[in-house]
Amino acid sequence: MVGMILEAPAAITARPLTPAGGAGVAWMVVDATPDGAVAADYSSIVAAGLELIPPSIREPLERWSSRSGITRKLNIAVASNSDSSAAMAALFRLTGWSIPDGWGGRYGDRAFVQINRQKSTTIHEYAHHIDYLWRVSNGQPEGALRNEAEFTSLFAVSMLTMEEALYGHNSSAEWIAELLTKSIDINYNGARSNHPRIFLGLCGDNTAVAGHVRALLLDIFPDLPAFSWGSSWIASPPEPSITGYPLGDISVGAGVSCRLFDESGLPVTWSISADALPAGLELTDGMIHGNAVAPGPYAFTVRVSSSGGTMDRAFTGYVFDPSRPKPVITTTSLPAIIRTEPYSFQLQATSPDPITWSLPDPTRPLHAGLTLSPSGLISGTTSDGTPRTYKVRASSYGGYVDLTVNANVTARIAFTTKQLPALKVGSSVGRIAIDGTGANLEEKGLVAGALPSGLQFEFGDPSLPTFALFGIPNAAGPYSFTLRMANEYTSAEQTFTGTVSPA
């Protein structure tokens, strides 16, 4: 649909709306009513939302032309009654969409339909416009902003702890549209879901992620209004927040300059509230600066304080010395994890310097219940049987090396049937089930002894832990036989003994 111009059908009247800073841009606000005629003018509602979007953001989007030189237009349709099938039909004729009940709006390549008549809805739908077309309208290759590497990574991390009730929890398109909406409509004090505090919630209530996301947005859109995303409500005075990029890994002797800032507008003080900066670095008015002098891992917490409250943000990373060798990981695979049973495995690596193990990718966590210690011990108990791929990192003074390994979780193979029912010569046993637990068997059968005379095996699916006996015993006396099941990870044997009674 790139390059497509959507025009209003004759049955719906289109009103041009000239935005601030967008002279000559072809905007269209369309009102749809139950009878298909023009009703109340909702252009003021749309304009109220558009006026909050900085001109520096709107101007490139609204002057951009397709490669053919045809000016592209954005049509905005506003329904006068979200329950009216006729109004919905009118909007459908305009856009080719159906709008499910409960939706506030819907965005397409060059149009959006707005059911919820609030300026925040206008901004949210326009934010999709920004996401999809900001790059190409600024002379960059086509592609949504949300698909850039940093946004992709931060969304994945945010999803790990984001409340499911938040709009955008499972959609990166809605996630970035909501982040932009909260960054633009900063004074909205209606429904809690529209409060700027939700910015932090959209980042999984992780102040490090939120500060990073906000810094990215300000680098792209420097004219976004300042707001304190740390406020728990429309607070007065507002609570402070810590915006800025992570410090990351640094090298001994290399100059460090990491700027952190608060947007509450109040006087603030900066401090280290937990642990300590790497030796050689200082924190001055929100600036982490200096030259690290010693290699090793670091972890510290920055605090900003004002009359509105405090906010903490954790920083972790490593100071490397390029003159030292990197570690060498000697572990190549993990033993199987047995579900619901204690697990312990020590990762191995060599280095002349101390080694610290970590999980570098938050989107690849260990199974729930398992932990990785700094010394490289994976331990714990999990009931999660989902196969995963772990990414572990060994860091020492000279650098780090990553290892990606498969983590296979399996159930313990075991026999749940421990003995056979009473057997009697001449009496049919019907079908005696011998069951067990486990899956994906690679071995299954009789490994010792013999069945009672007259009985036979039914092995069934060779990969499943089930056997069956059938037949008619024809000889009295004792019996003993052993069955075995095994797969790549575990095995089990069970001996069955008893006596066949005379007829």
Side-chain angles (χ1 to χ4, degrees), residues 390-403:
Y390 295 166
K391 185 176 184 179
V392 297
R393 173 170 293 175
S395 301
S396 64
Y397 294 167
Y400 65 82
V401 178
D402 291 339
L403 170 69

Side-chain angles (χ1 to χ4, degrees), residues 93-392:
R93 289 198 301 274
L94 171 66
T95 63
W97 300 325
S98 61
I99 311 296
D101 290 342
W103 283 31
R106 183 168 176 179
Y107 173 80
D109 181 51
R110 293 305 296 172
F112 65 78
V113 172
Q114 185 174 332
I115 307 303
N116 186 339
R117 295 181 300 283
Q118 296 178 353
K119 68 179 186 298
S120 60
T121 306
T122 301
I123 296 171
H124 175 93
E125 300 304 332
Y126 193 98
H128 286 305
H129 188 52
I130 298 170
D131 175 32
Y132 282 96
L133 292 176
W134 179 259
R135 286 171 52 84
V136 69
S137 67
N138 283 272
Q140 301 175 42
E142 291 189 28
L145 278 178
R146 68 179 185 277
N147 293 332
E148 294 187 357
E150 278 191 276
F151 281 121
T152 298
S153 175
L154 289 165
F155 172 65
V157 175
S158 298
M159 280 187 64
L160 299 176
T161 52
M162 194 190 311
E163 292 182 22
E164 292 187 9
L166 288 178
Y167 196 52
H169 168 261
N170 56 6
S171 166
S172 60
E174 300 301 341
W175 177 72
I176 199 165
E178 281 291 275
L179 287 170
L180 284 166
T181 302
K182 305 322 172 202
S183 297
I184 292 169
D185 194 9
I186 64 171
N187 292 316
Y188 187 85
N189 60 1
R192 188 178 181 86
S193 63
N194 283 309
H195 188 270
R197 167 62 176 76
I198 300 302
F199 187 97
L200 179 57
L202 289 164
C203 297
D205 284 313
N206 184 322
T207 56
V209 174
H212 190 171
V213 170
R214 178 66 176 167
L216 274 175
L217 291 177
L218 287 174
D219 269 357
I220 300 171
F221 311 112
D223 292 335
L224 285 174
F227 83 104
S228 182
W229 46 263
S231 294
S232 57
W233 190 238
I234 301 291
S236 180
E239 299 172 22
S241 55
I242 303 175
T243 295
Y245 289 99
L247 184 58
D249 296 328
I250 55 181
S251 297
V252 169
V256 172
S257 180
C258 178
R259 179 64 175 168
L260 307 175
F261 56 97
D262 162 66
E263 299 180 79
S264 67
L266 298 174
V268 297
T269 58
W270 297 86
S271 62
I272 302 298
S273 62
D275 300 308
L277 289 165
L281 300 188
E282 299 178 1
L283 174 64
T284 307
D285 294 330
M287 177 72 77
I288 300 173
H289 60 99
N291 292 276
V293 299
Y298 70 80
F300 62 89
T301 302
V302 172
R303 172 170 292 174
V304 62
S305 304
S306 72
S307 59
T310 64
M311 173 176 281
D312 289 340
R313 175 173 170 180
F315 289 79
T316 59
Y318 210 99
V319 179
F320 293 114
D321 183 348
S323 69
R324 303 292 297 169
K326 293 182 178 181
V328 176
I329 297 177
T330 55
T331 295
T332 58
S333 62
L334 299 180
I337 302 166
I338 308 302
R339 192 165 59 240
T340 72
E341 294 186 13
Y343 182 81
S344 181
F345 181 74
Q346 178 64 51
L347 298 170
Q348 300 290 336
T350 60
S351 173
D353 303 312
I355 297 173
T356 301
W357 292 87
S358 62
L359 299 169
D361 186 352
T363 65
R364 293 186 183 183
L366 303 184
H367 287 85
L370 300 183
T371 60
L372 172 65
S373 72
S375 64
L377 179 66
I378 299 176
S379 61
T381 302
T382 185
S383 59
D384 182 359
T386 307
R388 292 192 182 184
T389 299
Y390 295 166
K391 185 176 184 179
V392 297

Side-chain angles (χ1 to χ4, degrees), residues 37-112:
V38 175
D41 185 357
Y42 296 119
S43 61
S44 60
I45 296 173
V46 175
L50 296 178
E51 287 169 1
L52 292 178
I53 303 170
S56 60
I57 297 177
R58 293 181 57 188
E59 194 275 333
L61 292 170
E62 297 170 10
R63 65 166 161 73
W64 183 69
S65 298
S66 65
R67 284 183 291 272
S68 64
I70 301 174
T71 301
R72 293 158 59 93
K73 301 177 182 179
L74 177 64
N75 289 321
I76 304 174
V78 183
S80 62
N81 187 335
S82 61
D83 296 325
S84 167
S85 59
M88 293 301 97
L91 296 180
F92 183 81
R93 289 198 301 274
L94 171 66
T95 63
W97 300 325
S98 61
I99 311 296
D101 290 342
W103 283 31
R106 183 168 176 179
Y107 173 80
D109 181 51
R110 293 305 296 172
F112 65 78

